[in-house]
Amino acid sequence: MASYSMESRILLSELILTDKRLRPIADKVLAGQRLTFEDGIELYRSPDLLAVGWLANYVREKKHGNVTFFNVNRHINPTNVCVAHCKLCAFGRDPNAPGAYTYALEEIYQRAEQGVREGATEFHIVGGLHPDLPFDYFLEMIRGLKQRCPGVHLKAFTMVEVHYFSRIAKISIEETLRRMKEAGVDSCPGGGAEIFHPRVRRIICDHKVSGQVWLNTAKKAHEIGLPSNATMLYGHVETEEERVDHLVRLREVQDQTHGFVAFIPLAFHPDNTPLSHIPKTTGYLDLRNIAVSRLMLDNFEHIKAYWIMLTPSIAQIALRFGANDLDGTVVEEKIYHDAGAKTSEFTPRAELERLIRAAGRVPVERDTLYRPVDRLKMPPIAPVTPPGLVSLTLNV
Ligand code: V47
């Protein structure tokens, strides 16, 4: 039996557990102890979602109090042409398929400069694995962005893209990461992690790097001073054991590097994918994934409720189930919208603040590394114009 502080005893008496099997887990959470693989399974299986959420909220408030972060960012997807053909994806296209595009660098710069006028502090840059664009195209893009928008954090290229660049440029992963950093990449987004277990990867993304390679690449990024995020794609063919395995493996790497900044659970969107027969996730599963992630990933500071993927309503409730960040204004989003997302592609800064306040939390605008952004010291923001620039499609 764990020993409690007076505060924990009072808190525990407030928590009514309809599922008595949660009791030893609640003991550990209140005593600040690490949860085991088996605890993770119990948290996924417990019918008492409110108690799981209460525990996650306890951890969230211990770390962040009432503060809830958001940022002003812009997503840029340079190309949707992709050789990987992942079954989970509705975004990737063959080079000549309808809807395939590759932006010319000038178009990327136009989008970025528009983003700066709209107050973006971050560009989130990910794209397909293009068969013909060389690594140098992407390095030139990053250099051009850094030169034109020096104050904006460039969060660019997932571990899957890093691995692909290293293959096409015939250089090591370390060298690839070093060149990215030299060109101006400040951190890496968390995509492409999916579920690390090989059984799942064989079904949903059989040509993608293995889970172990994703983790090793993230480790190398952290070692050379590039922090990154991490994600987990849930709600398709994975089991609860495979989800918990994913979280435990991330936690192990984080123990070694402390290089992960935030974790983002991603709900599978089946429309227009080869897995379109799989039903959409429910709000219940979405909230549970936020809560279990918060509880299992004790060495991650931040858990994001990505409103694009969850809907603003569920993301707002997630702020009471363990999440401490809503993500950003985004502006232009293709990966989820190609897969049937019905959310908007853009939420204004003021609306993010309103959602956070209405959940009884205190909104704080952050940069990518969670430092507060002081708008009073910055130029005024221009209103956001929706995307719709004419596409200058490259023929490569
Ligand atoms: O890597 C692809 C996933 C990811 C689908 O790091 C899908 O701050 C659901 O990684 N249904 C891209 N998911 C999104 C991503 C992300 C988002 C927000 C913030 C951050 C961050 C990262 O979306 C992909 C893949 O794992 N994905 N297709 C789909 N049909």
Side-chain angles (χ1 to χ4, degrees):
M1 181 75 178
S3 63
Y4 301 117
S5 66
M6 177 60 84
E7 182 213 27
S8 297
R9 243 178 285 145
I10 295 166
L11 283 167
L12 199 56
S13 67
E14 278 176 21
L15 172 61
I16 299 160
L17 295 167
T18 57
D19 176 4
K20 296 299 168 217
R21 282 172 314 179
L22 284 180
R23 179 66 193 230
I25 298 178
D27 288 348
K28 285 191 202 172
V29 171
L30 294 178
Q33 290 168 5
R34 177 160 278 193
L35 301 184
T36 62
F37 180 90
E38 290 71 27
D39 295 333
I41 300 293
E42 200 60 57
L43 289 167
Y44 270 119
R45 298 209 172 135
S46 171
D48 195 349
L49 178 64
L50 283 181
V52 174
W54 189 97
L55 290 170
N57 188 54
Y58 169 78
V59 174
R60 179 253 194 258
E61 289 189 356
K62 240 181 131 179
K63 281 184 184 288
H64 303 287
N66 249 343
V67 164
T68 296
F69 294 102
F70 68 97
N71 75 342
V72 177
N73 65 349
R74 192 176 179 118
H75 284 212
I76 300 175
N77 304 121
T79 180
N80 64 355
V81 174
C82 188
V83 296
H85 298 115
C86 296
K87 289 202 176 63
L88 67 93
C89 181
F91 171 69
R93 306 274 197 289
D94 282 329
N96 297 316
Y101 73 85
T102 300
Y103 294 144
L105 291 180
E106 263 323 304
E107 186 168 8
I108 291 173
Y109 300 148
Q110 279 176 38
R111 281 175 151 75
E113 283 162 352
Q114 179 70 28
V116 171
R117 286 191 289 278
E118 294 162 1
T121 61
E122 167 191 284
F123 296 141
H124 170 119
I125 304 166
V126 295
L129 309 181
H130 196 292
D132 304 315
L133 287 176
F135 182 34
D136 280 341
Y137 167 88
F138 294 96
L139 293 178
E140 192 186 333
M141 178 180 93
I142 294 294
R143 277 188 219 104
L145 285 170
K146 225 9 167 211
Q147 193 190 6
R148 288 167 177 79
C149 318
V152 179
H153 182 110
L154 302 182
K155 185 179 73 178
F157 311 131
T158 65
M159 299 310 144
V160 176
E161 289 163 284
V162 173
H163 183 265
Y164 185 68
F165 293 154
S166 90
R167 260 186 51 205
I168 59 175
K170 300 189 172 53
I171 54 177
S172 68
I173 297 279
E174 288 89 339
E175 185 56 25
T176 308
L177 289 160
R178 222 169 278 126
R179 289 190 199 176
M180 280 166 43
K181 191 165 180 238
E182 271 164 25
V185 170
D186 296 299
S187 71
C188 297
E194 322 311 359
I195 289 278
F196 294 136
H197 198 286
R199 184 196 74 86
V200 177
R201 284 183 111 71
R202 268 196 297 277
I203 301 170
I204 67 169
C205 55
D206 55 345
H207 295 116
K208 206 169 242 176
V209 292
S210 69
Q212 197 51 54
V213 169
W214 191 99
L215 287 162
N216 291 345
T217 308
K219 235 187 206 174
K220 288 187 176 133
H222 301 170
E223 279 161 10
I224 69 148
L226 274 179
S228 75
N229 289 338
T231 57
M232 173 176 78
L233 184 71
Y234 64 87
H236 39 87
V237 300
E238 85 287 3
T239 62
E240 283 144 359
E241 284 82 358
E242 286 157 345
R243 276 186 221 139
V244 178
D245 172 70
H246 187 94
L247 296 174
V248 169
R249 288 171 78 181
L250 281 173
R251 190 170 74 180
E252 284 166 4
V253 171
Q254 181 73 329
D255 274 342
Q256 294 163 34
T257 68
H258 303 286
F260 289 120
V261 181
F263 177 73
I264 311 115
L266 298 171
F268 178 57
H269 282 46
D271 290 358
N272 308 316
T273 76
L275 302 174
S276 59
H277 57 282
I278 294 179
K280 292 185 171 69
T281 65
T282 60
Y284 204 79
L285 184 64
D286 294 334
L287 290 173
R288 192 186 294 269
N289 271 289
I290 293 278
V292 179
S293 316
R294 178 59 288 164
L295 288 165
M296 292 301 293
L297 297 177
D298 53 12
N299 52 5
F300 277 63
E301 271 310 290
H302 305 288
I303 304 288
K304 262 191 213 184
Y306 182 39
W307 64 266
I308 286 259
M309 170 272 296
L310 287 176
T311 74
S313 307
I314 295 282
Q316 187 194 33
I317 298 168
L319 301 181
R320 295 265 158 196
F321 278 75
N324 64 295
D325 184 9
L326 275 189
D327 199 67
T329 46
V330 181
V331 181
E332 192 173 2
E333 202 288 329
K334 296 182 191 305
I335 295 172
Y336 279 87
H337 287 81
D338 282 358
K342 300 286 183 290
T343 47
S344 153
E345 291 184 52
F346 162 60
T347 291
R349 193 179 177 284
E351 176 63 5
L352 292 174
E353 288 186 299
R354 189 184 74 88
L355 288 168
I356 293 168
R357 280 209 184 88
R361 301 298 198 193
V362 176
V364 174
E365 184 182 341
R366 62 162 176 91
D367 67 9
T368 310
L369 301 177
Y370 288 82
R371 293 169 299 210
V373 170
D374 186 353
R375 283 285 160 195
L376 296 175
K377 293 190 184 142
M378 297 165 83
I381 301 179
V384 171
T385 44
L389 294 169
V390 178
S391 201
L392 312 169
T393 305
L394 263 186
N395 287 318
V396 283

